[in-house]
Amino acid sequence: MSTSPLQKPREWKPLEQRKCTDIPWLLLFILFNVGMLCICGFAIATGAASRLISGYDSYGNTCGQKNGKIPGIELSGRDHTSRKYVFFLDPCNIDVLGRKIKSVALCVSKCPDTELKTYEDLRNFSAVYGSDLCSYDVQPDTYSSHSNRATKCPTLPVHPSASLPVFHRCMPVDISCYARFAEAFITFVSDNSVVHRVIAGVMTSKEIIMGLCLLALVLSLILMVVIRYISVVLVWILTAVVVVGSIGGTGILWWLYVDHSKSVNATLPALELEVAKDNQKALLIYSIAATVFTVILLLLLFFMRKRVALTIALFHVAGKVFTHLPLLALQPFWTFLTLMLFWVYWITVLLFLGSAGSPVQNNQTGLVEFRMDGPLQYMVWYHAVGLVWISEFILACQQMTVAGAVVTYYFTRDKSQMPFTPIVSSVLRLMRYHLGTVVKGAFIITLVEIPRLILTYIHSQLKGRENACARCMLKACICCLWCLEKCLAYLNMNAYTATAINSTNFCTSARDAFFILVENALRVAAINSVGDFVLFLGKVLIVSCTAFAGILSLNYQREYTVWVLPLIIVCVFSFLVAHCFLSIFEIVVDVLFLCFAIDTKYNDGSPGREYYMDKALMEFVENTRKATERYGKVEAESREMKSMVSLKGQLLLLFFYFYFYKISYKKHLFNATLMACLSQQSTKPYLCNFI
């Protein structure tokens, strides 16, 4: 069986030629989006959009228009042209689990803007404004005497209500009746007064909240500048803090173990003695684990200290990239805005689907609900897949855009010859050549993320009802899928970089990037561990500073009695802002590293193979080369010494051999052997080799 010769590895040719990649996947994505638009069109065509905006009553009539008769529903098919608002007879009867109002809904001409305490007030309101607040089959004159007034008229007293700005629903102005609904989501609420104080604190401190959010934005920009100019000091300070903390924590654990060992003696009572021994064993286990962790950490830092220098150099160059490409700082805003627009569209269509379908009468309540039966119910699942895939596609477009701009910066020797706006050029290049690659990468993440979300949903629904084994297996599966998703996301990011460099399809780019990363595994580990740790501490720093400023600001505003919700809003927003900015910084560092690895693999600085890298990275390479040359020189001298020692040993053995045979009675035998070797007629070649 013949073996095929090994194929020569394909050379990287940055920015030399462009071609379209993964076109079939782009066509598949277009067809998928056509299906998404068809779902939206179906929801609008079936009247779901008008039912969502205008609202409908409990008998299937849409408010604000003339309706057709629904077979089997007595009060359907009514003309509600003058009745544009939805009124709930018992708006405070809320199904917390179902997140809906369990009440009869009617279409009315006007929402009651004053409190109505008696049925006589209901009749007067109907006479003055022409708005009947009881069921359609109950006349206003019989409000007080009707036998079914408890179920067909609103619950008294009727609280003042107002219509929502877009959706024509009459909602109570006083939110006190929603306290139970709020308690299901806000667990720290113990009474209605807390709800009022929290909401009042948010509304009256909105200026401070906006100011603190702006502060988080400024701090994120400042931190990016700081990381660039003091990256050396920052990384080593954090490394020193981690080392000192690990050694100090290990020492404290051993000290506690020794102290507990001294206190354990036979004079203690039996129960206390058992507890003291258990604590002693626990401290011993903790101390040993901390010692092992500290030793491993110190060894890793020792062997990776040169890679830490590469991380520092990459951070410094990443800061320069932001100087040359200032539009990179705006990239998170465009991505966030695009995601917001898509999510608003997705939620709107989902609400349309919730109101679409055929009217069905509920056997228990007798009210009309709209349900989709048969194959139409799977449109919701199709719509859910679209949420994940398109969201991942938008994020992947950001990664490809950033990668394209950074690759252009790195592989352009004369920085003055770069395009006027590399970000715009990268976007145009993405749209023209590489949308299919981005679609394929996003689909791979979707294949992992959807099962993880389904398992997470199942775990939340079965919480408290499944056994320990099932709970452990579910958590293990969720954790494994999460780890796989993170690994694929990192590989996708490097695949996009390879595509931006060579204009190859997704699979080829992922394979090439994977081999480069494997060849530089220690460097990858150092950059991901040290770099991610630095950026995480940067996020914590921004959130802490913003929260501290918020506490100081609210402390001088004594009327804000509850600070919890404003501070939570500020902290969440500041973390999102810091994550958006520093995640772009992280992407830039990853792209620079892959470019650096490719540069050092195919170039050596000689004429015709000059490096593309920045001066800071060049200094790192030169220092590494000098250290390697020194190591190689020492190793060569060592080998020479070993060879000299070996030669001396052989000569010494030969001397003893000659001496032995000269003084022995076998001298003639040695002479005969020597003559046979010289004449090449010896039958013992190993002796000739030795001689």
Side-chain angles (χ1 to χ4, degrees), residues 557-568:
Q557 304 291 334
R558 296 290 180 175
E559 64 270 18
Y560 307 144
T561 56
V562 178
W563 298 352
V564 177
L565 194 55
L567 284 180
I568 289 176

Side-chain angles (χ1 to χ4, degrees), residues 502-514:
N502 277 337
S503 189
T504 51
N505 59 44
F506 179 83
C507 293
T508 303
S509 299
R511 182 197 62 195
D512 295 342
F514 177 76

Side-chain angles (χ1 to χ4, degrees), residues 210-224 329-330 332-333 542 546 570 573-578 580-581:
M210 295 176 63
L212 292 173
C213 294
L214 182 62
L215 175 64
L217 178 62
V218 174
L219 289 176
S220 300
L221 294 173
I222 293 175
L223 182 62
M224 294 178 68
L330 298 178
F333 291 106
I542 291 173
T546 307
V570 168
F573 184 83
S574 61
F575 180 82
L576 291 176
V577 170
C580 288
F581 276 92

Side-chain angles (χ1 to χ4, degrees), residues 80-156:
H80 286 330
T81 306
S82 60
R83 300 178 177 181
K84 299 181 180 180
Y85 305 100
V86 179
F87 176 74
F88 298 96
L89 300 186
D90 189 8
C92 296
N93 185 13
I94 299 174
D95 181 7
V96 176
L97 297 178
R99 298 180 181 89
K100 62 182 180 179
I101 300 176
K102 295 175 61 176
S103 170
V104 175
L106 302 175
C107 294
V108 299
S109 304
K110 179 179 173 57
C111 299
D113 52 1
T114 58
E115 186 177 18
L116 306 177
K117 299 180 179 180
T118 63
Y119 291 106
E120 187 65 23
D121 293 338
L122 294 178
R123 189 185 65 80
N124 293 333
F125 182 81
S126 175
V128 174
Y129 298 103
S131 182
D132 300 336
L133 302 182
C134 289
S135 182
Y136 307 135
D137 56 349
V138 179
Q139 298 299 321
D141 296 337
T142 62
Y143 283 175
S144 302
S145 59
H146 200 280
S147 59
N148 294 328
R149 62 183 183 181
T151 57
K152 295 195 173 185
C153 288
T155 302
L156 298 178

